[in-house]
């Protein structure tokens, strides 16, 4: 039974990857006719889907505003026949001055005590300054403690990491309550009890730090990172020496160590796939197959030595964007899987492809390029703008944007790592403190840049898709898309780097005139208003009409 469930899941996983691959290919072919730029992006990003960008969407000419001459060099970037010109007299100054202000608190009324967590864990939460659970934590913790497999989907920056860490730590490791330590403590100590998988080294390390914070200085060794780019031998030695209860890592390194027989996860009770939609993509398929096959499986446990006796592994899938393919895969598991969202827990069996629960989801009509729309992936308080700039003036547009919003901590996204350096040179030449972050930098380089950005030494982080998922920098008050993301899902993850945990945040997409239709399409898919803006005399201005949209 368990074996058939497992192989059914692997078939579904294969389908999932194949669907994404096909939709990428066909969409890329369509899109190539319209834009060479994004087709290059699709190639570089491999498994990314361009389905949402294809076909027939002409740039929308605004009937509301007439082209007018505005002062300043930004205006010189706007050529004849612009898609959407703004009336100077109708432009309004939008004040976006104070960064990281809390504008929409995500906390429900519950306290952590009400969630049934053990005292030691409550003490840790108190020590680290976590006093009230967010909505998704209030919903997820009891469901996972009850033993459900879970798909957790909620806004970027809504606290999904603690939503799965708290129930895990209440069951295993040094902070676990009595109920959690039922079977032989010595046996548990010898085996890994929880595995958390994340698609990037940065995200994995961020999760490690979150676990370490909760474990406290005395028990930090109970968590071990297994990320690529770091010394594998040392990781293996640490596994042997420290016997961690929890490992957090990237798929490639976990699979590598597992193949070498150095990772004992058959008795593992929790498997978490953070950013599950990314992890189930084609890029990670082989490694994730291995992990799903080996984690929580006790070999030779059956009376005749058969290897189909799965330990009571709970599987938790997490992302702000959950395609129905993930739901379909999770439905094939046996532990009454549930979909957990803010203040809502739904049995997965009842979730349909058309349900608004699944955000930005290519559904069964995926092949037709139809995408379902909801606004559940992004915090509602985020503000979205776009401006038009010629390619060669984009860096100037970025600089004006940063000054106009007085943004202190900015992430600027591009699609190709080669171009990041160029942007950094140009910004530095204009006196802006910035740095590049991408996968080609060494491990040390990446962590140094990230550290500098987090502590405010770097004002603008120029990066690519590497930083789009999971990166948590509370102070980040502005995200700029210097190049368009490949689709609305990627837009959501990039945008979600700001406005975290109810803070104020702004997203500005700098596009060329011929790309406005893509921005409009993403706006429609996300169900959020993207306001056209210009930067005039050091201020961000929008039309009166657009201003009315956000009133
Ligand atoms: N209950 C809480 N009280 C205060 N801060 C919290 C609470 N829960 C989480 N946080 C903090 O909020 C920030 C965002 O949390 P987290 O990174 O888990 O968000 P997320 O939903 O996983 O975002 P993403 O989808 O972008 O990965 C983190 O800095 C985390 O420490």
């Amino acid at each position: 039974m368990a074996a058939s469930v497992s192989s059914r899941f692997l078939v579904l996983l294969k389908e999932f990857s194949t669907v994404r691959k096909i939709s990428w290919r066909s969409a890329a072919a369509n899109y190539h006719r319209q834009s060479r730029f994004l087709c290059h992006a699709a190639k570089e990003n491999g498994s990314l889907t361009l389905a949402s960008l294809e076909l027939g969407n002409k740039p929308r000419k605004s009937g509301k505003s007439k082209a007018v001459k505005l002062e300043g060099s930004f205006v010189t970037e706007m050529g004849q026949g612009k898609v959407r010109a703004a009336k100077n007299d109708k432009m309004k100054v939008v004040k976006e001055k104070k960064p990281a202000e809390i504008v929409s608190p995500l906390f429900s009324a519950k306290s952590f005590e009400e969630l049934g967590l053990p005292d030691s864990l409550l003490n840790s939460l108190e020590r680290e300054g976590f006093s009230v659970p967010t909505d998704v934590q209030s919903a997820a913790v009891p469901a996972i403690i009850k033993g459900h497999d879970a798909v957790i989907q909620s806004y970027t920056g809504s606290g999904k990491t603690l939503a799965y860490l708290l129930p895990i730590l209440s069951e295993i490791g040094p902070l676990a309550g009595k109920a959690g330590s039922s079977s032989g403590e010595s046996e548990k100590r010898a085996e890994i009890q929880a595995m958390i998988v994340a698609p990037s080294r940065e995200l994995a390390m961020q999760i490690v730090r979150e676990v370490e914070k909760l474990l406290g200085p005395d028990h930090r060794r109970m968590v071990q990172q297994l990320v690529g780019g770091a010394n594998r031998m040392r990781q293996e030695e640490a596994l042997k020496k420290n016997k961690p209860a929890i490992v957090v890592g990237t798929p490639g390194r976990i699979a590598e160590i597992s193949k070498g027989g150095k990772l004992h996860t058959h008795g593992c009770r929790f498997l978490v796939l953070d950013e599950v939609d990314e992890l189930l993509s084609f890029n990670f398929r082989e490694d994730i197959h291995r992990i799903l096959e080996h984690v929580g499986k006790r070999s030779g446990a059956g009376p005749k030595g058969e290897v189909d006796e799965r330990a009571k592994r709970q599987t938790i899938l997490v992302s702000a964007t959950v395609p129905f393919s993930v739901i379909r895969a999770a439905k094939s598991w046996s532990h009454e899987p549930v979909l957990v969202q803010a203040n809502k827990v739904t049995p997965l069996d009842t979730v349909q492809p058309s349900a608004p629960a699944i955000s930005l989801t290519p559904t069964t009509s995926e092949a037709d390029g139809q995408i379902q729309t909801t606004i559940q992936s992004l915090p509602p308080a985020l503000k979205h703008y776009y401006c038009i700039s010629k390619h060669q003036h984009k860096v100037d547009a970025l600089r004006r944007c940063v000054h106009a919003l007085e943004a202190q901590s900015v992430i600027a996204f591009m699609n190709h790592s080669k171009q990041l350096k160029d942007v950094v040179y140009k910004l530095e030449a204009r006196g802006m403190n910035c740095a590049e972050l991408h996968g080609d930098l060494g491990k040390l380089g990446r962590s140094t840049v990230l550290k500098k950005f987090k502590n405010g030494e770097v004002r603008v982080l120029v990066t690519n898709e590497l930083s789009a998922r999971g990166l948590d920098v509370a102070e980040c008050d502005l995200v700029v898309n210097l190049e368009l993301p490949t689709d609305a899902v990627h837009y959501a993850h990039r945008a979600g780097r700001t406005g975290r945990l109810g803070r104020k945040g702004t997203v500005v997409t700098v596009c060329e005139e011929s790309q406005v239709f893509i921005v409009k399409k993403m706006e429609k898919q996300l169900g959020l208003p993207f306001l056209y803006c210009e930067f005039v005399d050091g201020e961000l201005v929008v039309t009166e009409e657009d201003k009315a949209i956000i009133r």
Side-chain angles (χ1 to χ4, degrees), residues 34 88 161 276 307 352 369 392 467 523:
Q34 303 186 41
N88 201 10
T161 315
V276 58
V307 287
Q352 299 302 318
Q392 63 269 33
S467 313
E523 177 187 37

PDB file of all heavy atoms in Angstrom, residues 34 88 161 276 307 352 369 392 467 523:
ATOM      1  N   GLN A  34       7.388  37.566 -29.923  1.00  0.00           N
ATOM      2  CA  GLN A  34       7.086  38.907 -29.438  1.00  0.00           C
ATOM      3  C   GLN A  34       8.235  39.576 -28.709  1.00  0.00           C
ATOM      4  O   GLN A  34       8.329  40.788 -28.671  1.00  0.00           O
ATOM      5  CB  GLN A  34       5.883  38.847 -28.493  1.00  0.00           C
ATOM      6  CG  GLN A  34       4.687  38.243 -29.182  1.00  0.00           C
ATOM      7  CD  GLN A  34       3.478  38.312 -28.298  1.00  0.00           C
ATOM      8  OE1 GLN A  34       3.270  39.315 -27.637  1.00  0.00           O
ATOM      9  NE2 GLN A  34       2.708  37.274 -28.274  1.00  0.00           N
ATOM     10  N   ASN A  88       0.647  65.805 -17.019  1.00  0.00           N
ATOM     11  CA  ASN A  88       1.407  66.418 -15.943  1.00  0.00           C
ATOM     12  C   ASN A  88       0.503  67.011 -14.874  1.00  0.00           C
ATOM     13  O   ASN A  88       0.685  66.782 -13.676  1.00  0.00           O
ATOM     14  CB  ASN A  88       2.308  67.498 -16.529  1.00  0.00           C
ATOM     15  CG  ASN A  88       3.454  67.814 -15.600  1.00  0.00           C
ATOM     16  OD1 ASN A  88       3.663  67.107 -14.627  1.00  0.00           O
ATOM     17  ND2 ASN A  88       4.190  68.843 -15.894  1.00  0.00           N
ATOM     18  N   THR A 161       7.683  29.977   7.860  1.00  0.00           N
ATOM     19  CA  THR A 161       8.777  29.159   8.405  1.00  0.00           C
ATOM     20  C   THR A 161       8.445  28.689   9.822  1.00  0.00           C
ATOM     21  O   THR A 161       8.533  27.496  10.138  1.00  0.00           O
ATOM     22  CB  THR A 161      10.100  29.962   8.398  1.00  0.00           C
ATOM     23  OG1 THR A 161      10.229  30.624   7.147  1.00  0.00           O
ATOM     24  CG2 THR A 161      11.296  29.066   8.632  1.00  0.00           C
ATOM     25  N   VAL A 276       7.903  24.645  -2.284  1.00  0.00           N
ATOM     26  CA  VAL A 276       7.667  23.337  -2.911  1.00  0.00           C
ATOM     27  C   VAL A 276       7.490  23.424  -4.419  1.00  0.00           C
ATOM     28  O   VAL A 276       7.951  22.542  -5.150  1.00  0.00           O
ATOM     29  CB  VAL A 276       6.451  22.626  -2.260  1.00  0.00           C
ATOM     30  CG1 VAL A 276       5.185  23.454  -2.359  1.00  0.00           C
ATOM     31  CG2 VAL A 276       6.227  21.263  -2.870  1.00  0.00           C
ATOM     32  N   VAL A 307      10.606  -3.694   2.187  1.00  0.00           N
ATOM     33  CA  VAL A 307      11.022  -2.328   2.508  1.00  0.00           C
ATOM     34  C   VAL A 307       9.904  -1.301   2.298  1.00  0.00           C
ATOM     35  O   VAL A 307      10.134  -0.165   1.973  1.00  0.00           O
ATOM     36  CB  VAL A 307      12.253  -1.908   1.676  1.00  0.00           C
ATOM     37  CG1 VAL A 307      13.486  -2.600   2.170  1.00  0.00           C
ATOM     38  CG2 VAL A 307      12.010  -2.144   0.195  1.00  0.00           C
ATOM     39  N   GLN A 352     -10.533  21.786  -5.192  1.00  0.00           N
ATOM     40  CA  GLN A 352     -10.678  21.568  -6.631  1.00  0.00           C
ATOM     41  C   GLN A 352      -9.721  22.472  -7.402  1.00  0.00           C
ATOM     42  O   GLN A 352      -9.313  23.517  -6.901  1.00  0.00           O
ATOM     43  CB  GLN A 352     -12.122  21.884  -7.056  1.00  0.00           C
ATOM     44  CG  GLN A 352     -13.169  21.010  -6.397  1.00  0.00           C
ATOM     45  CD  GLN A 352     -12.942  19.526  -6.667  1.00  0.00           C
ATOM     46  OE1 GLN A 352     -12.609  19.139  -7.787  1.00  0.00           O
ATOM     47  NE2 GLN A 352     -13.092  18.706  -5.637  1.00  0.00           N
ATOM     48  N   GLY A 369      -2.856  27.751 -21.539  1.00  0.00           N
ATOM     49  CA  GLY A 369      -2.237  29.002 -21.123  1.00  0.00           C
ATOM     50  C   GLY A 369      -3.131  29.813 -20.208  1.00  0.00           C
ATOM     51  O   GLY A 369      -2.866  30.978 -19.943  1.00  0.00           O
ATOM     52  N   GLN A 392      18.502  51.519 -22.246  1.00  0.00           N
ATOM     53  CA  GLN A 392      19.757  52.173 -21.835  1.00  0.00           C
ATOM     54  C   GLN A 392      19.574  53.172 -20.693  1.00  0.00           C
ATOM     55  O   GLN A 392      20.555  53.640 -20.125  1.00  0.00           O
ATOM     56  CB  GLN A 392      20.451  52.846 -23.041  1.00  0.00           C
ATOM     57  CG  GLN A 392      19.665  53.961 -23.698  1.00  0.00           C
ATOM     58  CD  GLN A 392      18.782  53.458 -24.848  1.00  0.00           C
ATOM     59  OE1 GLN A 392      18.276  52.339 -24.786  1.00  0.00           O
ATOM     60  NE2 GLN A 392      18.588  54.282 -25.863  1.00  0.00           N
ATOM     61  N   SER A 467      17.607  35.432  -5.500  1.00  0.00           N
ATOM     62  CA  SER A 467      17.124  36.072  -4.274  1.00  0.00           C
ATOM     63  C   SER A 467      15.606  36.232  -4.240  1.00  0.00           C
ATOM     64  O   SER A 467      15.072  36.824  -3.306  1.00  0.00           O
ATOM     65  CB  SER A 467      17.759  37.457  -4.141  1.00  0.00           C
ATOM     66  OG  SER A 467      19.126  37.391  -4.373  1.00  0.00           O
ATOM     67  N   GLU A 523      -0.646  42.086 -13.929  1.00  0.00           N
ATOM     68  CA  GLU A 523      -1.559  42.850 -13.062  1.00  0.00           C
ATOM     69  C   GLU A 523      -2.903  42.133 -12.970  1.00  0.00           C
ATOM     70  O   GLU A 523      -3.469  41.960 -11.893  1.00  0.00           O
ATOM     71  CB  GLU A 523      -1.728  44.250 -13.656  1.00  0.00           C
ATOM     72  CG  GLU A 523      -2.711  45.134 -12.900  1.00  0.00           C
ATOM     73  CD  GLU A 523      -2.973  46.454 -13.633  1.00  0.00           C
ATOM     74  OE1 GLU A 523      -3.033  46.444 -14.886  1.00  0.00           O
ATOM     75  OE2 GLU A 523      -3.133  47.471 -12.962  1.00  0.00           O
TER      76      GLU A 523
END
